[in-house]
Amino acid sequence: MTDSRPPMELTCDEVRDLAAGFVLDALSADEAAAVRAHLASCSDPHVEIDELAAVLPVLGESVPVIEPPAALKARIMEAAEADLEGRRAEAAVAVAVPAPAAVAPAQPAQAQAAPAQEPIPLRPAARAGASPGTWALRIAAVLAIALLGGWNLLLQGQLSQARSYQESVAAVLDAAAQPGALTAVLTPEGGSGPSGFAAVESDGSVTLAMQALGPTAGDEVYEAWVIGGDGVPVPLGGFQVGNAGTAYFEATGVPAEAGVVLALTREPGPGATTPTLPIVSSGAAG
Amino acid sequence: MSDPAGPLLRRVASSADDADRAVLARIANGELHALDELYERYKTMAYSIAYRITNDAAAAEDVVQEAFLGAWRNAARYVEGRGSVKTWLLSIVHHRAIDAVRRRRPVADLPEREDVPPPALRLPDVWGEVSANLDAEAVRAALAALSDVQREAIELAYFGGLTQQEIAERTGTPLGTVKSRMRLGLLAMRRALIEASP
């Protein structure tokens, strides 16, 4: 049993009451967060959660069998191959740049935005794969970032932050290299603050790399918006940011038209339908 | 709490699961062929669940792609973790699919998913061991153990992506009753699984 109450103030009995909803993923955001907070701090193992969840595979086995289209495999393998190439290229850059010795193995570029479940690009088959020119761009960009940021940026404490942003920018460059893609540089309203780089592809997908973002807390998210010719902001989705202050974000539904504005706001929770001002960073595609 | 299902839940993982773990270890090493193998093994299961939840072929494809790329990128994390590869994948597919369904709905109170693993990923090996040993008879027995109202509540949550509160509103049932139906339904399935296990 729990003697010291977790932050969201659920008792063990209340967690047991919510257990079925928790394992079925049928709680509200607040309830689910409260259960997780309780489980993280409670000395009781709450085996009822495991017992209830252990039967869920039955539900998965009960669905009508439908074969996926053959093309899906090609899409997945192509995306995985591109991911692998990206890792290798980043490893090559890490060797080329005289960074401090303790360089971690290449990780997915999205790790900063969502450490537990990285956002994964959809339909990457629309991308033609990285051409030699793209890799040259990538490497040049990564080197430029490292140089512009100054070698001090690569000193121990900030190394991972710099690498994360480099990897994100490399992914954006990949998208920007596609035929018909537009790019946008996002800058803060006041001249200093969060900035980033985005690519809008002809199929409406957008890829965004940001840095110097304040870390989010609790349910707070950064929400990306697209503002077209009608001036109405349309939400693209939200993401959270850790202490590194960097983020990588992908979405779809952005018109690939010059002048369309991408903007970022800080929202108290996911699912915002109107932006909470101020706009922390924005830029027009062109 | 005592565990009357101990013999079932502590069963040694199947050889199929061992093979899956080996495949995932190769994926963690960046072997594309291993991802190909994993996909071939579970593509039908993954797509069937995704389609059942999203009821949309394109969305189901995206969900499956996300799930397998998630496995590709996080395989090393899994190897250090736990449980059956099959059910690990299933849980990823389920959560991604529910996310997709909820994104389509004008619901402000979306569960936050960016910073926490889905519930199944915190589970010990029992999750995988049960799943690895499921056969058609056990599945039928477990589903048959549900009353109609229990099945409705569980399916609206698991396949429909509805919260307990939304289920209560949709079915005109008190929230407490919905919670009870879910809990008692899952417990009934569990008992049936135990009885059906060899």
Side-chain angles (χ1 to χ4, degrees):
Chain A
M1 292 292 167
T2 304
D3 294 321
S4 57
R5 287 259 183 119
M8 300 298 286
E9 299 293 332
L10 282 183
T11 65
C12 286
D13 284 342
E14 286 167 337
V15 168
R16 289 186 193 103
D17 183 52
L18 293 171
F22 182 68
V23 302
L24 286 165
D25 208 12
L27 300 183
S28 70
D30 286 346
E31 288 172 325
V35 171
R36 282 192 292 268
H38 181 97
L39 294 175
S41 62
C42 184
S43 57
D44 187 310
H46 280 287
V47 293
E48 71 277 4
I49 300 267
D50 300 342
E51 290 175 354
L52 295 177
V55 303
L56 295 184
V58 170
L59 297 172
E61 298 277 358
S62 70
V63 301
V65 173
I66 303 177
E67 289 295 330
L72 179 57
K73 179 178 175 179
R75 270 172 54 189
I76 292 170
M77 296 307 297
E78 196 173 329
E81 192 168 357
D83 181 73
L84 187 61
E85 286 178 9
R87 292 185 212 173
R88 287 173 178 158
E90 283 149 14
V93 170
V95 170
V97 176
V103 175
Q107 294 294 321
Q110 299 90 333
Q112 291 298 329
Q117 278 187 289
E118 294 86 352
I120 296 164
L122 298 184
R123 301 183 182 282
R127 297 178 187 173
S131 64
T134 305
W135 291 118
L137 268 174
R138 277 181 163 198
I139 293 169
V142 170
L143 289 172
I145 290 164
L147 291 169
L148 287 171
W151 289 112
N152 59 334
L153 190 65
L154 293 175
L155 294 176
Q156 292 288 347
Q158 295 174 320
L159 175 61
S160 61
Q161 178 179 347
R163 283 185 55 79
S164 169
Y165 186 59
Q166 289 167 12
E167 290 163 2
S168 300
V169 169
V172 175
L173 280 169
D174 247 1
Q178 301 306 309
L182 304 172
T183 57
V185 176
L186 278 76
T187 55
E189 294 290 294
S192 67
S195 61
F197 180 43
V200 180
E201 294 181 65
S202 57
D203 65 355
S205 60
V206 61
T207 317
L208 170 67
M210 293 296 300
Q211 65 173 354
L213 293 163
T216 52
D219 290 340
E220 200 176 31
V221 297
Y222 283 96
E223 183 79 23
W225 305 86
V226 57
I227 306 170
D230 57 4
V232 177
V234 176
L236 294 173
F239 55 88
Q240 295 192 308
V241 174
N243 290 331
T246 60
Y248 176 80
F249 174 74
E250 293 197 0
T252 56
V254 177
E257 299 165 359
V260 67
V261 172
L262 296 171
L264 217 57
T265 61
R266 198 163 175 163
E267 304 291 339
T273 53
T274 55
T276 301
L277 297 177
I279 292 175
V280 300
S281 195
S282 64
Chain B
M1 187 182 295
S2 64
D3 180 10
L8 170 68
L9 301 185
R10 284 191 285 275
R11 186 179 296 167
V12 177
S14 69
S15 59
D17 197 36
D18 289 342
D20 284 347
R21 288 169 192 264
V23 168
L24 210 60
R26 288 167 50 213
I27 289 176
N29 280 332
E31 289 186 35
L32 286 168
H33 287 303
L35 180 65
D36 192 324
E37 279 183 45
L38 189 73
Y39 180 78
E40 286 300 325
R41 283 184 199 182
Y42 294 119
K43 63 180 180 182
T44 304
M45 178 202 75
Y47 187 76
S48 300
I49 293 171
Y51 190 88
R52 172 69 176 82
I53 293 171
T54 61
N55 198 30
D56 180 286
E61 288 180 40
D62 285 344
V63 164
V64 172
Q65 179 173 332
E66 287 178 354
F68 278 93
L69 286 178
W72 166 253
R73 289 170 173 161
N74 295 299
R77 200 176 299 173
Y78 171 84
V79 169
E80 295 168 4
R82 54 173 45 121
S84 146
V85 172
K86 175 182 176 181
T87 45
W88 181 63
L89 261 178
L90 182 152
S91 68
I92 296 173
V93 169
H94 179 254
H95 286 277
R96 297 282 187 186
I98 293 297
D99 275 348
V101 168
R102 288 180 175 167
R103 277 199 301 268
R104 291 199 305 236
R105 297 204 320 253
V107 176
D109 191 18
L110 288 175
E112 179 52 59
R113 297 166 184 287
E114 295 297 324
D115 60 346
V116 291
L121 297 184
R122 67 170 286 280
L123 299 177
D125 285 350
V126 293
W127 164 274
E129 289 164 15
V130 169
S131 174
N133 291 287
L134 279 180
D135 58 26
E137 183 188 346
V139 169
R140 275 195 298 273
L143 293 173
L146 291 172
S147 70
D148 288 345
V149 290
Q150 288 169 350
R151 179 178 292 105
E152 177 187 51
I154 289 172
E155 289 193 346
L156 284 173
Y158 189 81
F159 293 121
L162 298 187
T163 64
Q164 292 178 330
Q165 182 65 46
E166 290 167 338
I167 293 169
E169 290 166 6
R170 175 179 290 200
T171 60
T173 308
L175 178 59
T177 306
V178 171
K179 290 180 179 178
S180 294
R181 287 174 180 173
M182 286 182 173
R183 177 176 175 77
L184 294 175
L186 291 178
L187 288 173
M189 290 172 70
R190 176 178 162 80
R191 279 194 300 274
L193 274 181
I194 293 166
E195 288 166 7
S197 64

